[in-house]
Amino acid sequence: MSCSLWALGPCPRRLSLQGRTRRGTAPCACPTALRQALKACPGRAVGADRRGDLRKQTTARAPTADRSSPMTEQVALVIGGIIAGLLLLIGVSCCLWKRICAVFAYKELPGTTAASSGQGCKLYTPCARTQSSRPSVPFVVPPSYQDQDWVLMNSREWAQAPQDACPAPELPPYTPSGSLGDACIVGTINPELYKFLEDNSETDFPEGCLGRLWFSVEYQQEAERLLVDLIKAQRLQAPSETCSPLVKLHLLPDERRFLQSRIKRKTANPQFDEHFIFQVSSKSITQRVLRFSVYHVDRQRKHQLLGQVFFPLKDETLEGDCRRIIWRDLEAESLEPPSEFGDLQFCLSYNDCLHRLTVVVLRAKGLRLQEDLSFVSVSVRVSLMNHNKFVKCKKTSAVLGSANPVYSETFSFQACPTELDTASLSLTVLQSAEGDKSHQLGRVVVGPYMYARGKQLAHWNEMLNKPKELVKRWHALCRTTEP
């Protein structure tokens, strides 16, 4: 029991017993005393057991702590290596940036040495190098400055002598007729190439012009609507001092229905800015012609026609989404009564440089259509003839159901000046029937004295006297025998 008591650790009562023993008193070996001592400190045995368990856990954890210490050292080494690499990269980047800045930095060139009087480009180097470690840059004196005197200002700089002024080099004048190489020196700007095309529509009016009309046309395919914007008119020739214009719009061949603008009082240059809409199908839009009739309204509300503009609605005029402004000169109404078989208006022009004969078929009026034909389609055939032999034939597009068709189509033929004395033009108006058959409604021939007389001969001679100009005339159609 005494051995087990000592194993439980020191106890106050035990210490008192030990003290008594040291003083010469015998230790107490009574069992009753031992039992009382154990009852007085029961927690000492439990604490001993707990301390034994802690010693076992500490012994078990010691190897784990030994194993974790190398891993901690490896992580520290990796982090240190990354930080060192970043610092090295930053240092290298700074060095490279300084070198790049030094290369591209602006540095004023040193002065040039005295220029000799020799010919050609001469190479000069400065007398002394600058404080920078970079080598000196050679300087080439331009040829325009080589004949001038240079004086030494100090050991490093040279300056031009003040007594000789260097005049600016003079450029030769620009000649439009010459080639590009002969017209200007390489390195100069030719101002003629950068000029905008001037709009002369409001300044250039031909002699005898009745006025000019501006408008725009747009066709909406999905809605099948024709949008017409009437913009303005200028230089209207009114019969009286004051002019009060009015414009009527017809979509031919329908002449019964029309739209009209508001009356502009006391002005020969009216600004309309009005919009009109025509409902027309996409199948027949290319067969229609837009006619603008400009009237003067007097005090009695009577309308006097000042002029007309015919605008055929072709595919090329309706293409594109952008709004184009179009202008046309007014044409006077023909006061002559229509001929027996109708009349045809066309233009002639001859370009002697290109040997090109141009015919512009404008329109016809008063045609006598055959009523017995179920299908009414009118076209014009243009034929170039030489010694009464056909050289080449061309044909306009067909216009449906109109005795006054409008074409505005252009045709060109090649004809040498020596062939004009024996050449002629034949224009025949045809009415198409079922199948490939066609019926001739009339014909007109223009040419030299050998083939034409009267207005036809005068038209041909005026074309030759006015090269590169369009000469427009009306001609009466003549009846022809069917071939």
Side-chain angles (χ1 to χ4, degrees):
M1 292 294 292
S2 62
C3 294
S4 61
L5 183 62
W6 283 105
L8 292 177
C11 180
R13 294 188 178 184
R14 183 182 174 187
L15 291 175
S16 62
L17 292 175
Q18 290 177 357
R20 292 177 182 177
T21 306
R22 292 175 181 174
R23 294 188 187 118
T25 308
C28 181
C30 180
T32 304
L34 291 176
R35 291 190 191 99
Q36 292 177 358
L38 290 173
K39 289 180 181 181
C41 51
R44 302 303 296 176
V46 177
D49 295 338
R50 289 181 179 176
R51 284 193 297 269
D53 295 339
L54 289 175
R55 291 190 188 97
K56 293 179 180 180
Q57 291 179 1
T58 304
T59 307
R61 290 179 181 177
T64 304
D66 296 340
R67 289 195 301 268
S68 61
S69 58
M71 294 179 62
T72 305
E73 295 178 358
Q74 292 179 359
V75 171
L77 290 176
V78 171
I79 294 174
I82 292 174
I83 294 174
L86 290 175
L87 294 176
L88 180 62
L89 182 61
I90 292 173
V92 173
S93 301
C94 293
C95 295
L96 292 177
W97 177 253
K98 289 182 179 180
R99 290 191 177 183
I100 291 174
C101 293
V103 170
F104 292 99
Y106 172 77
K107 181 180 179 181
E108 186 177 359
L109 293 175
T112 58
T113 57
S116 62
S117 60
Q119 300 294 330
C121 295
K122 305 172 185 57
L123 187 65
Y124 299 92
T125 55
C127 296
R129 295 192 177 187
T130 58
Q131 297 178 357
S132 175
S133 60
R134 294 177 54 203
S136 60
V137 180
F139 180 76
V140 178
V141 178
S144 59
Y145 292 92
Q146 290 179 5
D147 295 335
Q148 302 176 13
D149 297 333
W150 297 81
V151 295
L152 180 64
M153 295 181 62
N154 50 42
S155 60
R156 294 185 180 182
E157 297 182 1
W158 290 81
Q160 184 182 357
Q163 64 272 13
D164 294 333
C166 178
E170 298 182 359
L171 300 177
Y174 172 70
T175 56
S177 59
S179 62
L180 184 61
D182 300 334
C184 58
I185 299 177
V186 177
T188 61
I189 297 177
N190 184 3
E192 297 293 335
L193 300 177
Y194 297 91
K195 287 185 177 180
F196 292 98
L197 296 177
E198 298 181 358
D199 184 13
N200 300 325
S201 61
E202 299 185 7
T203 56
D204 294 344
F205 290 88
E207 185 178 358
C209 180
L210 301 177
R212 187 165 292 176
L213 189 68
W214 281 262
F215 58 93
S216 65
V217 178
E218 180 183 358
Y219 183 70
Q220 296 179 352
Q221 190 77 22
E222 297 179 357
E224 294 188 341
R225 297 192 306 174
L226 179 66
L227 308 181
V228 182
D229 295 342
L230 182 61
I231 302 175
K232 64 180 178 179
Q234 288 188 3
R235 297 280 187 95
L236 298 180
Q237 305 297 325
S240 59
E241 294 182 358
T242 60
C243 181
S244 299
L246 166 72
V247 180
K248 292 183 179 180
L249 290 81
H250 293 80
L251 194 59
L252 302 179
D254 186 5
E255 297 190 7
R256 294 178 298 176
R257 291 176 292 183
F258 63 90
L259 301 175
Q260 71 177 28
S261 68
R262 293 187 294 269
I263 301 175
K264 301 296 181 180
R265 298 290 182 181
K266 298 181 181 181
T267 175
N269 304 303
Q271 188 79 23
F272 295 100
D273 293 329
E274 299 185 34
H275 311 280
F276 304 92
I277 299 176
F278 292 92
Q279 198 72 32
V280 56
S281 64
S282 58
K283 296 181 180 179
S284 62
I285 185 64
T286 56
Q287 303 294 331
R288 298 299 187 93
V289 177
L290 191 61
R291 182 180 70 185
F292 300 88
S293 302
V294 183
Y295 294 90
H296 163 66
V297 182
D298 57 12
R299 295 180 180 179
Q300 288 77 25
R301 307 287 296 179
K302 293 182 180 180
H303 294 179
Q304 300 180 14
L305 183 64
L306 302 180
Q308 295 178 335
V309 171
F310 293 87
F311 186 73
L313 301 175
K314 304 292 183 181
D315 293 334
E316 57 272 11
T317 59
L318 301 177
E319 290 180 354
D321 299 333
C322 58
R323 177 174 173 265
R324 293 189 308 158
I325 297 178
I326 306 167
W327 60 267
R328 292 288 187 273
D329 289 335
L330 299 182
E331 300 177 6
E333 185 183 19
S334 178
L335 301 178
E336 298 180 1
S339 61
E340 182 181 0
F341 303 103
D343 299 275
L344 182 65
Q345 187 186 36
F346 57 91
C347 301
L348 295 179
S349 175
Y350 182 71
N351 191 325
D352 52 356
C353 297
L354 302 178
H355 300 172
R356 184 172 60 194
L357 178 62
T358 303
V359 182
V360 183
V361 181
L362 297 176
R363 61 180 182 269
K365 66 176 182 178
L367 300 179
R368 292 192 175 184
L369 304 178
Q370 298 293 325
E371 298 179 356
D372 55 342
L373 299 179
S374 59
F375 184 76
V376 180
S377 176
V378 183
S379 60
V380 179
R381 182 179 64 195
V382 184
S383 304
L384 177 63
M385 305 178 65
N386 195 352
H387 293 290
N388 289 330
K389 294 182 180 180
F390 288 98
V391 178
K392 197 170 186 179
C393 295
K394 296 184 179 181
K395 191 176 180 180
T396 65
S397 58
V399 177
L400 302 178
S402 176
N404 304 300
V406 179
Y407 300 100
S408 296
E409 298 186 23
T410 304
F411 306 97
S412 298
F413 302 92
Q414 289 293 328
C416 297
T418 56
E419 299 176 356
L420 296 180
D421 294 335
T422 58
S424 62
L425 285 172
S426 174
L427 291 89
T428 307
V429 182
L430 304 174
Q431 179 181 352
S432 301
E434 295 181 358
D436 297 335
K437 296 181 180 180
S438 60
H439 175 69
Q440 294 186 4
L441 300 178
R443 179 188 177 193
V444 59
V445 177
V446 293
Y449 185 79
M450 185 184 301
Y451 306 103
R453 300 288 189 275
K455 294 182 178 180
Q456 291 79 12
L457 176 61
H459 196 182
W460 184 268
N461 291 334
E462 188 176 359
M463 175 197 70
L464 297 179
N465 295 331
K466 297 180 179 179
K468 302 179 184 179
E469 292 186 14
L470 287 174
V471 182
K472 180 171 57 178
R473 292 289 182 273
W474 278 99
H475 294 279
L477 297 177
C478 301
R479 188 69 174 181
T480 59
T481 57
E482 297 290 341

